[in-house]
Structure formats: structure tokens, C-alpha cells
């Protein structure tokens, strides 16, 4: 099993550009999450999904959109990137029977 | 709002010593707590969890203690090794969401 994978690993955007981050998991997990991590801070929840076709806002959802069209994939979109969105983005997934969230390797995004 | 915080941002120990990383939490309604380890350039890795109705849980070389009276969580690492050098996060969970603390950097000196 590959676990949780994220693409791309790195990306540089100009202010105003758009992009989509892809998260995929092969563990048949119901729950999926997108976090951002800034220097000296813990992870903050952007959006999450409790099942295929459902999404919900987390702690810092502004400027982001998500979609969960397939159970194994969770997409994070930035419609108009801003420098404040420069961060490392982590995707995670979790099954219904236990508490552990499994994390992907992260995407480092820089917005100039 | 509710928050999870750490007493010490950095901790430096000698190889072979025991390490104790502390965490204060404020949401008494949290159902469970998790400790994660994050190495440089990688995603967080699960270490151990504990449910709110427990006081102590042990894993391989690690022990988590939960004191609900003072809302305090600690991670003890026995015989700390250089490979334990990383940032350690505590997180509190309710339903299916986690709230993370800011992390403690553990440095193990040979």
C-alpha cells in the first residue's frame, strides 16, 4: 500500500494564479483532511470530508475549496493564490474505527 | 477558543536519557489525545494515542500520561536515541477532528 500520497511535492505560483493539490489514499478510509503548516506552528485544519461527496470547513477555510468526488481522492483548490497561502500543505485520512490520522508527505507551496 | 499548547518549545537530551515532553490542553470535552512525531521534510507520524477515560498508556519505549484534573498530557520516551530527534506534536481529538499544538523540538545529543 502506498498510504497517503500528494501531488505535486513542490509548486511556485504567482499571486492570482490558481492550482489544485491532489491527495490520494488507498486504505479505503472514510475521512480525509487538508491541513496547512506554517513555521513555528502546528497544523491547522482547512477543510475535511467525512465521506464521498461531502465536505466541511475547518479552522482556516478562506481562500480554499475542496472536492471529494471519489472516496480515495480529496482535492484542494486555490482559485486566486495569495502570498499568505505560502505554506506546507498536508493531507491526511482516517478510518471510522480508530483515531489515528495517516498523513501524506506534504506539498510545499510558495506564492510570489 | 479551545487550544492545545506546550510548556517547552525545545528540549535537548543526551542519548540514552529519558525524555519528557509536556502538553497542556483546554478542551475538557476532548475524547482522545494523540502524539505525533514529525521529522524534517516529512509528514507527521503517529506515535501513540490515549482515550480520555484512561490515565496511562504504554507503547514501545513510549508512555503517554493523561492528567484530566490539570488538563495535562505528557509523552515519555525511554532511552532516547538520535533517531528520536524531531518535532513532537500533541493533538486533541473530538468526533473525527484533531486540534494540534505548536510542537516541541527534541534534540538528542550523542
Amino acid at each position: 500500500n502506498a498510504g497517503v500520497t500528494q501531488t505535486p511535492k513542490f509548486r511556485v505560483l504567482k499571486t492570482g494564479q490558481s492550482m489544485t493539490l491532489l491527495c490520494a489514499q488507498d486504505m479505503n478510509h472514510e475521512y480525509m483532511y487538508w491541513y496547512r503548516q506554517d513555521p513555528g506552528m502546528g497544523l491547522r485544519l482547512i477543510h475535511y470530508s467525512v465521506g464521498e461527496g461531502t465536505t466541511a470547513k475547518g479552522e482556516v477555510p478562506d481562500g480554499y475549496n475542496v472536492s471529494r468526488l471519489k472516496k480515495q481522492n480529496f482535492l484542494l483548490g486555490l482559485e486566486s493564490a495569495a502570498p499568505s497561502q505560502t505554506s506546507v500543505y498536508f493531507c491526511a485520512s482516517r478510518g471510522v474505527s480508530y483515531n489515528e490520522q495517516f498523513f501524506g508527505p506534504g506539498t510545499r507551496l510558495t506564492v510570489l | 477558543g479551545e487550544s492545545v499548547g506546550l510548556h517547552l518549545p525545545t528540549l535537548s537530551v543526551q542519548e540514552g536519557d529519558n525524555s519528557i515532553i509536556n502538553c497542556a490542553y483546554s478542551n475538557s470535552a476532548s475524547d482522545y489525545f494523540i502524539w505525533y512525531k514529525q521529522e524534517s521534510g516529512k509528514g507527521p507520524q503517529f506515535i501513540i494515542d490515549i482515550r480520555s477515560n484512561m490515565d496511562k498508556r504504554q507503547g514501545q519505549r513510549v508512555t503517554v500520561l493523561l492528567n484530566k484534573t490539570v488538563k495535562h498530557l505528557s509523552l515519555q520516551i525511554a532511552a532516547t536515541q538520535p533517531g528520536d530527534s524531531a518535532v513532537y506534536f500533541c493533538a486533541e481529538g473530538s468526533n473525527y477532528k484533531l486540534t494540534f499544538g505548536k510542537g516541541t523540538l527534541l534534540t538528542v545529543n550523542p
Side-chain angles (χ1 to χ4, degrees):
Chain A
N1 289 346
V4 180
T5 59
Q6 295 183 230
T7 53
K9 289 184 170 55
F10 303 93
R11 185 72 186 268
V12 178
L13 291 178
K14 295 181 179 179
T15 297
Q17 288 185 317
S18 63
M19 76 162 296
T20 300
L21 283 68
L22 172 64
C23 175
Q25 53 93 6
D26 61 1
M27 297 173 281
N28 200 35
H29 284 168
E30 288 294 329
Y31 307 143
M32 296 189 73
Y33 309 83
W34 275 107
Y35 294 89
R36 61 176 289 173
Q37 185 176 34
D38 300 300
M41 300 187 70
L43 286 78
R44 292 184 292 170
L45 183 63
I46 304 172
H47 286 280
Y48 63 99
S49 169
V50 299
E52 182 179 318
T54 70
T55 63
K57 295 180 179 180
E59 180 187 353
V60 288
D62 293 343
Y64 306 94
N65 56 76
V66 288
S67 64
R68 183 108 181 262
L69 299 179
K70 294 182 179 180
K71 185 177 183 179
Q72 64 268 33
N73 296 336
F74 195 28
L75 280 62
L76 178 70
L78 286 73
E79 291 185 347
S80 180
S84 60
Q85 294 178 303
T86 293
S87 188
V88 181
Y89 292 85
F90 288 100
C91 175
S93 71
R94 206 203 93 169
V96 297
S97 301
Y98 44 89
N99 299 326
E100 178 185 355
Q101 291 185 16
F102 294 80
F103 283 83
T107 295
R108 184 173 295 276
L109 175 65
T110 301
V111 183
L112 303 176
Chain B
E2 302 292 346
S3 64
V4 177
L6 298 173
H7 292 305
L8 296 174
T10 61
L11 178 63
S12 183
V13 301
Q14 292 297 122
E15 182 179 357
D17 287 351
N18 296 334
S19 302
I20 300 177
I21 301 172
N22 296 302
C23 176
Y25 68 92
S26 57
N27 186 358
S28 58
S30 293
D31 298 316
Y32 56 93
F33 302 86
I34 302 180
W35 281 100
Y36 279 92
K37 172 186 180 183
Q38 187 177 27
E39 297 175 282
S40 181
K42 296 184 178 180
Q45 179 184 5
F46 173 89
I47 302 173
I48 192 169
D49 65 346
I50 186 169
R51 297 200 64 83
S52 60
N53 61 355
M54 300 171 66
D55 298 323
K56 179 179 180 180
R57 190 166 187 218
Q58 289 183 297
Q60 187 177 9
R61 281 202 308 120
V62 296
T63 300
V64 56
L65 299 177
L66 176 62
N67 186 331
K68 293 179 285 294
T69 301
V70 294
K71 296 181 183 175
H72 183 266
L73 188 70
S74 69
L75 177 69
Q76 301 179 2
I77 304 174
T80 312
Q81 303 168 358
D84 294 327
S85 294
V87 177
Y88 289 81
F89 292 96
C90 65
E92 56 178 329
S94 183
N95 295 322
Y96 32 74
K97 294 190 291 182
L98 290 176
T99 300
F100 284 82
K102 291 182 172 54
T104 292
L105 174 62
L106 175 64
T107 302
V108 182
N109 303 309

